[in-house]
Amino acid sequence: MRLPTVEDVARTARVSRQTVSNVINTPARVKPATLLRVQAAIRELDYRPNQSARRLRQQKSATIGIRLDPQLNGISGAVLDRFLHSLTEQATERGLRVLLFTAATPTEEIDQIRALRDGADVDAFVLTATFDHDPRPEWLIEQKIPFVTFGRPWGIDDLNDPQHRWVDVDGRRGVYAATLSLLDAGAERVAWIGWPPPTATGDDRRSGWEDAMRERLGLGDAELASLCTEVVDDVAEATNAVANVLAGAVLPDGMVCASDTLALGALIAASTAGRRDIPIIGFDDTPVAAALGISSVEQRLDQVAAGALALLLGPVGDSVVASGALDVAHRLIEPALVLRRPQDLPMFNPSRIDGTAAADKH
Amino acid sequence: MRLPTVEDVARTARVSRQTVSNVINTPARVKPATLLRVQAAIRELDYRPNQSARRLRQQKSATIGIRLDPQLNGISGAVLDRFLHSLTEQATERGLRVLLFTAATPTEEIDQIRALRDGADVDAFVLTATFDHDPRPEWLIEQKIPFVTFGRPWGIDDLNDPQHRWVDVDGRRGVYAATLSLLDAGAERVAWIGWPPPTATGDDRRSGWEDAMRERLGLGDAELASLCTEVVDDVAEATNAVANVLAGAVLPDGMVCASDTLALGALIAASTAGRRDIPIIGFDDTPVAAALGISSVEQRLDQVAAGALALLLGPVGDSVVASGALDVAHRLIEPALVLRRPQDLPMFNPSRIDGTAAADKH
DNA sequence: CTGTTAGCGCATTCAC
DNA sequence: GTGAATGCGCTAACAG
């Protein structure tokens, strides 16, 4: 049982192969009568162009490649998953396919990218999780392989390099908004629970908290430092660290965290200390945060995906354009603050346990 | 800057195109001297076969398609993510690519599969999350499209249909082992926290608990029913439900749960009731369980991925074989019990908060 | 507006 | 062992 080809359609519709091709690719150039006849034949045979042949002919694959991270660290692992989903969905709408690959190290990733490109399997790549001194962008630019990164080029001065297309979430602004929401509610000692610097993403997020605290309360460096806790991204470690904070001299009346992992630790510590009333805001809006009623800063991954494709393909295109063809080569997405009230969940609140739990608005 | 082709390699090595092709595909049939010369030319030009051309010629894509689930099934969402990673990794080792697609409904998924197949984009499909009266396998068999499902064909009598290749995790056996581990430790009233039937997966898992309780303690239906709690897969709901259990007449001395989501609810309820000592075992071994020190039944997703590929490609092959070519058309993977001690995490345990948290062995 | 010509890069016959 | 044809299915360029 062979799949029908242009030839079959042409024979059925009594036209030449090329007319069929025209009907599919440039229908405007075909006389309405024959157009209809050919389309009928296409439907009759349930014909679809063979993509391999089309790709070979057009010298492009209409496929973008993305690496699946090795082992996504803990609770925030779902972020890439959601991004992948948005990206696939929107790529499909634009007539592109998404091809997966894995690599344990940046070097290995480069090898994979080279293989994929050399095999003409992939037209462009989406890189995630950029970091300080990331070797990948430079190599890709040098190789003239189109790409876009989810994440800014950190540490280098080429934030505006048109060669390097990037989309990122404005973590600073998200944390700024989160902090303001606590200050607006009357908090005066909002603590920051973040990662030990230097981490590009973490430092950026912390600066949002700093800005808000400076602007609203006029705090100085020393005061900020006293409200700032640094701990690696681990629930147990965060629990310990925040417990110490809560046992300290200056009791915070709000906590903004660099991740939901830290926020979960903060929640556990606060609950244990009987201070479930201290509002906590995390980052990433993971399912865990939703399940536990923790407020969080949500990365709008659908917008990130849309931005990545727009940078790669142009506003409406369906094939990869050169990096110089766009006026802007980057996009900063504003995150959304998802506020949840602690009482949405009966955690550590025996009085509500027999009541009806509020549904999680997701 | 054109990519090198066989022609370029042939010219460089001073042989014909076909010899180059032979060097790549059947190196045994080439004289060692020319072999070396051609290989040197390949390396020199950094030549790689164009995959589109190869696919067109061979009439196969060496690509498998998998749908990215729309629903982020809460805390357990990462399961598909991990499976995808294993699958991609092992597929790459076998020279296959993994192509993603999305679909909101089974019907839409069928449309996507048809498009992908008709475009000769994909040789075979991996379906996840099979369910009762799943329309997809039947349609795929009818269309003669090779596929394998992660999940048994539920509800039908074709568990052994060689046309339907499937891999699944033996949930019953995992829960059985989990229950036994509690009984071995001296528990006598192990409760089951599961989903309201009928859910194929959930009922299967529950039967593991039932079997263990019957065998070891000789319990009857009524006694089992009194230890069985049914609640939808939601943390808040589970918290309520387990809180009621803990406030009831028969206090369980262990809890085995159908998911980590339920286990998290159980943990919260137990903690709130001051009964953190009651051991809890979840299912899926999610990052959350790891972070909170909850024991869990781990699906060995690397084995599932390996099984899926073995069923599709044969033990060592790199191209899809017909469904009748294998002696067995399915594989049941035994899950692993991951036991964690509650004290691994200082949750709700103020006395340990200033101590060193034990590292999580993952 | 339609049909003719000519490959895209590769692998599978066959001869030699 | 190696090399010469042939065509996979499609579309871009050019004639008509």
Side-chain angles (χ1 to χ4, degrees):
Chain A
M1 207 208 81
R2 221 180 77 269
L3 255 31
T5 75
V6 266
E7 194 97 37
D8 299 321
V9 177
R11 205 178 308 114
T12 304
R14 315 189 122 267
V15 294
S16 79
R17 286 211 310 261
Q18 272 44 53
T19 305
V20 177
S21 184
N22 286 337
V23 167
I24 293 167
N25 299 298
T26 47
R29 297 181 186 230
V30 175
K31 188 162 60 180
T34 49
L35 186 70
L36 247 56
R37 205 166 75 243
V38 173
Q39 281 170 338
I42 288 175
R43 270 221 311 284
E44 184 191 334
L45 299 176
D46 197 26
Y47 163 80
R48 290 183 212 254
N50 180 305
Q51 297 298 326
S52 288
R54 166 175 273 187
R55 287 199 280 266
L56 175 60
R57 187 62 182 85
Q58 300 187 149
Q59 296 290 70
K60 62 184 171 192
S61 64
T63 302
I64 57 183
I66 184 167
R67 163 188 171 205
L68 212 51
D69 270 18
Q71 190 67 352
L72 261 276
N73 30 339
I75 288 175
S76 298
V79 171
L80 177 66
D81 198 35
R82 283 166 51 214
F83 174 61
L84 207 53
H85 188 269
S86 288
L87 187 71
T88 304
E89 202 160 52
Q90 299 186 42
T92 304
E93 282 170 16
R94 286 197 186 229
L96 298 181
R97 281 165 292 280
V98 176
L99 193 66
L100 248 36
F101 64 97
T102 62
T105 66
T107 313
E108 194 182 318
E109 182 173 8
I110 285 181
D111 287 343
Q112 291 273 7
I113 290 176
R114 194 207 316 266
L116 252 16
R117 204 284 301 263
D118 289 349
D121 257 327
V122 169
D123 289 338
F125 292 87
V126 176
L127 303 193
T128 58
T130 53
F131 51 90
D132 282 348
H133 303 97
D134 195 334
R136 303 171 299 170
E138 192 186 356
W139 181 82
L140 286 161
I141 289 172
E142 185 185 312
Q143 298 288 315
K144 296 198 191 345
I145 300 176
F147 72 99
V148 58
T149 61
F150 176 8
R152 275 159 273 190
W154 295 106
I156 340 175
D157 291 330
D158 56 4
L159 260 185
N160 294 310
D161 184 349
Q163 304 256 75
H164 184 161
R165 298 174 252 199
W166 58 263
V167 186
D168 205 356
V169 169
D170 194 342
R172 194 198 65 74
R173 191 154 172 188
V175 170
Y176 180 82
T179 308
L180 278 195
S181 81
L182 295 182
L183 295 175
D184 284 344
E188 294 180 330
R189 296 178 308 283
V190 178
W192 170 251
I193 316 296
W195 305 313
T199 69
T201 313
D203 298 349
D204 177 59
R205 291 180 187 174
R206 190 188 59 243
S207 70
W209 166 78
E210 287 171 353
D211 290 353
M213 296 294 277
R214 282 212 175 86
E215 286 175 19
R216 281 294 180 87
L217 304 179
L219 296 194
D221 287 351
E223 291 158 310
L224 286 176
S226 74
L227 283 167
C228 178
T229 299
E230 290 162 359
V231 57
V232 296
D233 202 47
D234 176 270
V235 174
E237 299 286 344
T239 305
N240 278 339
V242 173
N244 286 333
V245 169
L246 295 179
V250 187
L251 191 67
D253 52 10
M255 294 189 264
V256 179
C257 309
S259 75
D260 279 357
T261 301
L262 297 184
L264 176 55
L267 174 68
I268 294 171
S271 302
T272 307
R275 297 309 308 269
R276 186 69 179 83
D277 58 298
I278 301 175
I280 297 169
I281 304 184
F283 202 105
D284 275 345
D285 192 33
T286 56
V288 179
L292 296 179
I294 303 175
S295 298
S296 196
V297 177
E298 178 202 358
Q299 310 199 33
R300 300 173 183 273
L301 297 173
D302 49 344
Q303 291 192 19
V304 176
L309 290 176
L311 256 27
L312 238 26
L313 311 170
V316 294
D318 66 343
S319 75
V320 176
V321 302
S323 56
L326 290 95
D327 38 339
V328 287
H330 58 263
R331 236 167 242 212
L332 204 51
I333 308 293
E334 184 178 354
L337 182 58
V338 179
L339 288 178
R340 297 188 174 90
R341 292 165 309 145
Q343 57 266 44
D344 280 353
L345 197 87
M347 190 175 189
F348 320 115
N349 186 356
S351 66
R352 280 195 75 265
I353 282 191
D354 286 304
T356 307
D360 173 46
K361 313 282 187 300
H362 191 67
Chain B
M1 207 209 76
R2 220 179 80 268
L3 255 31
T5 74
V6 265
E7 194 97 36
D8 300 320
V9 176
R11 203 178 308 113
T12 304
R14 313 189 124 264
V15 294
S16 79
R17 286 211 309 264
Q18 278 48 48
T19 305
V20 178
S21 186
N22 285 335
V23 167
I24 294 166
N25 299 297
T26 45
R29 301 187 181 227
V30 175
K31 189 162 57 181
T34 49
L35 186 70
L36 249 55
R37 206 165 73 244
V38 173
Q39 282 169 339
I42 288 175
R43 271 220 312 283
E44 184 190 334
L45 299 176
D46 197 26
Y47 163 81
R48 288 183 214 256
N50 180 306
Q51 297 299 327
S52 287
R54 167 173 273 188
R55 285 200 281 267
L56 176 60
R57 185 64 180 87
Q58 300 188 148
Q59 296 290 73
K60 60 185 169 193
S61 64
T63 301
I64 58 182
I66 184 167
R67 163 188 172 206
L68 212 51
D69 264 23
Q71 72 239 18
L72 336 141
N73 354 324
I75 287 177
S76 299
V79 171
L80 178 65
D81 199 37
R82 283 166 50 214
F83 173 61
L84 207 53
H85 187 269
S86 288
L87 186 71
T88 304
E89 203 161 52
Q90 299 185 42
T92 303
E93 283 171 13
R94 287 199 186 224
L96 298 182
R97 281 164 291 281
V98 176
L99 193 66
L100 246 37
F101 64 98
T102 61
T105 66
T107 313
E108 196 182 317
E109 181 173 8
I110 285 181
D111 288 342
Q112 291 273 7
I113 290 176
R114 195 208 315 266
L116 252 17
R117 202 283 301 262
D118 289 350
D121 258 327
V122 169
D123 288 339
F125 292 87
V126 176
L127 304 192
T128 58
T130 52
F131 52 90
D132 282 348
H133 302 97
D134 196 334
R136 303 170 299 172
E138 192 186 355
W139 183 82
L140 286 161
I141 290 172
E142 185 185 312
Q143 298 288 315
K144 296 197 189 353
I145 300 176
F147 72 99
V148 58
T149 60
F150 175 8
R152 273 160 275 188
W154 294 107
I156 339 175
D157 291 330
D158 56 5
L159 261 184
N160 294 310
D161 183 349
Q163 303 257 76
H164 184 160
R165 299 173 251 199
W166 57 263
V167 186
D168 206 355
V169 170
D170 194 343
R172 194 197 66 74
R173 190 154 173 188
V175 170
Y176 180 82
T179 308
L180 279 195
S181 82
L182 295 182
L183 295 175
D184 283 345
E188 295 179 332
R189 295 178 308 283
V190 178
W192 170 251
I193 316 294
W195 306 314
T199 69
T201 314
D203 298 350
D204 178 58
R205 292 180 188 172
R206 190 189 58 243
S207 70
W209 166 77
E210 286 171 355
D211 289 355
M213 296 294 277
R214 282 211 175 86
E215 286 176 17
R216 282 295 179 87
L217 305 178
L219 296 193
D221 288 351
E223 291 158 311
L224 285 176
S226 74
L227 283 167
C228 177
T229 299
E230 290 162 358
V231 56
V232 296
D233 202 47
D234 176 271
V235 174
E237 298 286 346
T239 305
N240 277 339
V242 174
N244 287 332
V245 169
L246 296 179
V250 186
L251 191 67
D253 53 10
M255 294 188 265
V256 179
C257 309
S259 75
D260 278 356
T261 301
L262 298 183
L264 175 54
L267 174 68
I268 294 171
S271 302
T272 307
R275 296 308 307 268
R276 185 70 178 85
D277 58 298
I278 300 176
I280 297 169
I281 304 183
F283 201 105
D284 276 346
D285 193 33
T286 57
V288 178
L292 295 178
I294 304 175
S295 298
S296 197
V297 177
E298 180 202 356
Q299 309 200 32
R300 301 175 182 272
L301 297 173
D302 49 344
Q303 290 192 18
V304 176
L309 290 176
L311 256 26
L312 238 26
L313 311 170
V316 294
D318 65 344
S319 74
V320 177
V321 302
S323 55
L326 290 94
D327 38 339
V328 286
H330 58 262
R331 237 166 240 213
L332 206 49
I333 308 294
E334 183 177 355
L337 183 59
V338 179
L339 289 178
R340 297 188 174 90
R341 291 165 309 146
Q343 58 267 41
D344 279 353
L345 197 87
M347 190 177 191
F348 321 114
N349 186 356
S351 67
R352 279 196 77 263
I353 282 191
D354 285 305
T356 307
D360 172 48
K361 312 284 186 299
H362 189 69

